[in-house]
Amino acid sequence: MRSAANLALSAITLGVLVACAGGSGGSGDEPANSPSSGGSSSASSAAGSSAGSASSSSSSDSSASASASSSASSSAASSSETVPTSLGADGWASYYASGTGTTNGGTGADSTHTYTVKSRSELIKALYTGAVIAADGSFTYTAIDATPKIIYVNGSISLNTNAAGTELTEADYACAGWSFEDYKTAYNPKTWNRTLASTGKPASPSGTLETARSCSANKQAAVVKLAVGSNTSILGLGSDAKIVHGQLSLPAGTDNVVIRNITFEDAFDFFPLWDPTDSYNVDATYTYVAPPTTADATSTYPKCQYTYDATTDNGPHQCPGGRWNSNYDLLGLSGATHVWIDHCTFTDGDRETSKYPSVWEAPYIGHEYEVEHHDGLVDITLTSSYVTVSYNRVGHHQKAHLIGSSDNVTAANGWGALSVTLHHNYYDEAGERLPRVRMGKVHVYNNYYSGTFTPALSTPPYYGLSNPKDPDRPFIYGLGIGHLSKIYSENNVFEISARVGDAAVTQDALFWVWHKANPTSGLAAGEYTYFYDSGSTLNGAATSLLTAANAKAATFGKPTLLSTDTYWKPSSVYTYTAESAASVKATVIGKAGAGKL
């Protein structure tokens, strides 16, 4: 990191020359330098080895002006672009334990490390040193580049392309023996689940079809997942910058990254895994309980029992559980620190999960059994910390933010880390994990949530329930209070409607309690789970979320939640001002998302 010499404008408006396709000079496979040379490159070669001839300009992100020169052909046209800067991080992203330091991404990058990219190949060569892209789109590299760099994204970039820029399909990645239809048949829970493993749950998929699925998935991952190194700014030009059909990963050791003004869309997994063990449970408290020895005809699942009976067709294959799990987040932080994600949009695009309904029969039907081709939108896990997610539009997706991925309390899983701020985000028909927190100190304030509550999904056991009134994008819960989390919530605004004919939504819909017994040994011995909320509203009415959360915890036999303000307060770490809930909706709708700097 470099200390900030300029805490200047959040955005500057420059005249940028945008070249049309077919311009002279340059292979286009090397990223052009500076936003002013945004369109001067022609189509790339498959090997991606030629150097581009686009001109460069000196760029030091803290400047208030920049050159608008370009070596493009006469087909270039001038337009005004909003060029975001890397300055202005707040919340946990602004915190340094030493008291010095600034999260400013690639601020100060020299002209050699200031890029404008319009393709996956150009983006790869900006992110990595020594990158060589094979014809099928896979690539090798020497290192993830940690040199201070600014990468301007011009237009839409698909990460799911080969070296020639051709969009890839399931067939392009499929290994020998792969067939989704055969996979469904082989692992259909009505047959696969008839015998349970020693764990009291079905066995995980195995055999030639699972091997073929895994092989195919690995081939896709080698193309669509790109890593971001330290001291990097990725900034969208104008209002139409997009990164689609893949994941940007910020791995352990990555520090000081700024991502702003980009729409991230549809990280589509062609090869999701059916996991019959995921959520396989007959207990409403989420404490695992094996199926009963004998089926109870009066229960929700009247044919569910531990051992398969061919005569009655009772057995473990009639018990609820199992999920499709996919491999890609739009942004995945797995140990990164000092990250600012601001004014972006995150969505599933045209391939929303509701378009991929369950392929099974009851009780394996309903939203929870849809074939999930997407994972999270922005997930923050392992030792990630000092992250701020601000002024983003997040929606049309089920699972938004996972903060902490394991209840196993270790330093590697995030104990002592996972400090995150989320503010002024617009959660538009997002289903759950808004966020869902384990262990971390997470400040959630001035966010706006809209959606339609689906109580059949929010009142366990909800497996296998299907209701024609259910919306395509059900709101399941908002704040996920996970094991040893320390959520500090302020002045959030929830506008959550009921389905037609349902009772009015209550504040119980705004959270879920996932925490466990307070640990008595190990790193977290004597620790508790905390929650605090002040000033949040539901459909214009005041809430008492801590009281309601403790009532729900008591119902499920979980420990009492202590108030987070007795453990930590954001104001003791950084300066901020929470605006009144009365103005949050207007502020967030007006300012959140890409193109609204």
Side-chain angles (χ1 to χ4, degrees):
M1 290 73 67
R2 293 146 311 285
S3 61
N6 292 285
L7 295 177
L9 305 173
S10 63
I12 52 178
T13 301
L14 304 179
V16 179
L17 296 177
V18 181
C20 299
S24 61
S27 71
D29 205 40
E30 294 292 338
N33 295 101
S34 89
S36 63
S37 54
S40 61
S41 308
S42 64
S44 65
S45 66
S49 58
S50 300
S53 63
S55 65
S56 64
S57 66
S58 175
S59 176
S60 172
D61 192 49
S62 57
S63 298
S65 63
S67 168
S69 63
S70 174
S71 61
S73 68
S74 60
S75 61
S78 179
S79 66
S80 179
E81 297 281 8
T82 298
V83 182
T85 77
S86 304
L87 306 176
D90 58 7
W92 272 114
S94 67
Y95 175 77
Y96 285 76
S98 64
T100 60
T102 302
T103 298
N104 56 13
T107 296
D110 59 30
S111 60
T112 304
H113 295 94
T114 302
Y115 310 95
T116 295
V117 299
K118 299 188 297 176
S119 69
R120 173 179 176 271
S121 294
E122 292 178 349
L123 180 57
I124 288 171
K125 295 200 171 187
L127 290 171
Y128 298 87
T129 60
V132 177
I133 304 171
D136 66 359
S138 62
F139 61 98
T140 59
Y141 60 91
T142 304
I144 302 169
D145 191 6
T147 307
K149 72 187 77 61
I150 300 173
I151 302 171
Y152 295 100
V153 176
N154 186 353
S156 183
I157 295 175
S158 173
L159 302 187
N160 181 49
T161 60
N162 62 18
T166 302
E167 190 76 15
L168 300 175
T169 67
E170 177 183 348
D172 293 313
Y173 297 118
C175 292
W178 168 250
S179 162
F180 183 67
E181 293 302 314
D182 291 345
Y183 189 86
K184 289 192 304 179
T185 300
Y187 305 115
N188 187 327
K190 279 302 187 76
T191 53
W192 183 263
N193 290 9
R194 287 180 179 179
T195 302
L196 298 182
S198 60
T199 59
K201 295 185 177 185
S204 296
S206 60
T208 56
L209 278 164
E210 172 54 24
T211 299
R213 187 210 62 82
S214 179
C215 170
S216 304
N218 289 337
K219 288 177 66 175
Q220 183 183 1
V223 173
V224 303
K225 294 182 75 170
L226 303 186
V228 178
S230 296
N231 308 314
T232 299
S233 295
I234 303 178
L235 309 173
L237 292 177
S239 60
D240 62 352
K242 287 186 175 183
I243 296 177
V244 303
H245 303 162
Q247 173 178 315
L248 291 187
S249 301
L250 281 65
T254 296
D255 183 76
N256 188 29
V257 174
V258 173
I259 300 173
R260 302 187 71 204
N261 198 42
I262 297 173
T263 292
F264 292 90
E265 188 174 281
D266 189 20
F268 192 88
D269 186 347
F270 290 114
F271 309 99
L273 166 70
W274 170 251
D275 182 358
T277 71
D278 188 345
S279 303
Y280 187 84
N281 199 356
V282 297
D283 184 72
T285 70
Y286 294 99
T287 300
Y288 175 67
V289 174
T293 302
T294 303
D296 179 358
T298 65
S299 72
T300 305
Y301 304 101
K303 298 179 74 63
C304 170
Q305 66 181 36
Y306 195 91
T307 303
Y308 173 58
D309 183 331
T311 301
T312 62
D313 198 33
N314 293 346
H317 64 304
Q318 304 284 11
C319 306
R323 297 289 185 272
W324 290 96
N325 291 323
S326 58
N327 197 31
Y328 310 116
D329 306 318
L330 288 170
L331 288 180
L333 284 63
S334 54
T337 52
H338 296 110
V339 179
W340 182 33
I341 302 163
D342 178 72
H343 278 92
C344 293
T345 296
F346 299 93
T347 175
D348 287 347
D350 293 333
R351 294 189 285 193
E352 295 186 27
T353 299
S354 60
K355 294 184 178 181
Y356 303 91
S358 173
V359 295
W360 314 126
E361 58 185 288
Y364 308 100
I365 58 175
H367 284 293
E368 293 297 301
Y369 295 96
E370 291 171 337
V371 183
E372 182 58 82
H373 291 277
H374 307 91
D375 195 11
L377 294 178
V378 180
D379 280 5
I380 302 166
T381 62
L382 302 178
T383 56
S384 296
S385 205
Y386 312 128
V387 178
T388 296
V389 180
S390 57
Y391 288 97
N392 300 288
R393 184 160 185 164
V394 178
H396 294 196
H397 181 89
Q398 183 179 349
K399 299 172 182 177
H401 306 309
L402 183 65
I403 302 177
S405 56
S406 174
D407 290 336
N408 184 19
V409 181
T410 66
N413 282 337
W415 182 251
L418 299 171
S419 297
V420 180
T421 302
L422 301 102
H423 73 87
H424 292 94
N425 298 294
Y426 181 7
Y427 294 101
D428 176 22
E429 296 189 348
E432 58 184 299
R433 299 184 180 178
L434 308 171
R436 196 254 202 245
V437 183
R438 294 177 173 96
M439 292 187 273
K441 298 176 183 176
V442 177
H443 187 195
V444 185
Y445 75 96
N446 287 159
N447 299 289
Y448 172 60
Y449 303 78
S450 67
T452 302
F453 181 53
T454 305
L457 297 181
S458 305
T459 307
Y462 51 72
Y463 319 105
L465 301 178
S466 183
N467 190 317
K469 297 190 297 182
D470 288 351
D472 286 341
R473 310 177 197 103
F475 180 90
I476 301 172
Y477 70 87
L479 306 174
I481 305 167
H483 193 43
L484 301 178
S485 60
K486 305 159 187 70
I487 296 173
Y488 196 102
S489 169
E490 294 180 275
N491 296 10
N492 296 294
V493 173
F494 295 85
E495 290 191 347
I496 308 299
S497 61
R499 299 176 306 183
V500 175
D502 283 357
V505 177
T506 71
Q507 62 185 355
D508 276 4
L510 307 187
F511 60 87
W512 194 258
V513 288
W514 299 98
H515 62 300
K516 298 181 177 180
N518 301 321
T520 58
S521 61
L523 282 177
E527 293 284 347
Y528 299 87
T529 300
Y530 294 81
F531 180 71
Y532 172 89
D533 179 78
S534 174
S536 293
T537 63
L538 169 61
N539 298 329
T543 61
S544 300
L545 296 187
L546 178 57
T547 299
N550 269 325
K552 185 170 288 186
T555 297
F556 292 145
K558 294 177 177 289
T560 298
L561 299 164
L562 303 186
S563 183
T564 308
D565 64 342
T566 66
Y567 188 91
W568 81 286
K569 295 181 180 180
S571 59
S572 67
V573 181
Y574 51 79
T575 300
Y576 74 99
T577 301
E579 67 178 289
S580 167
S583 61
V584 165
K585 178 180 178 180
T587 297
V588 171
I589 290 178
K591 296 182 178 180
K596 292 192 174 183
L597 288 170

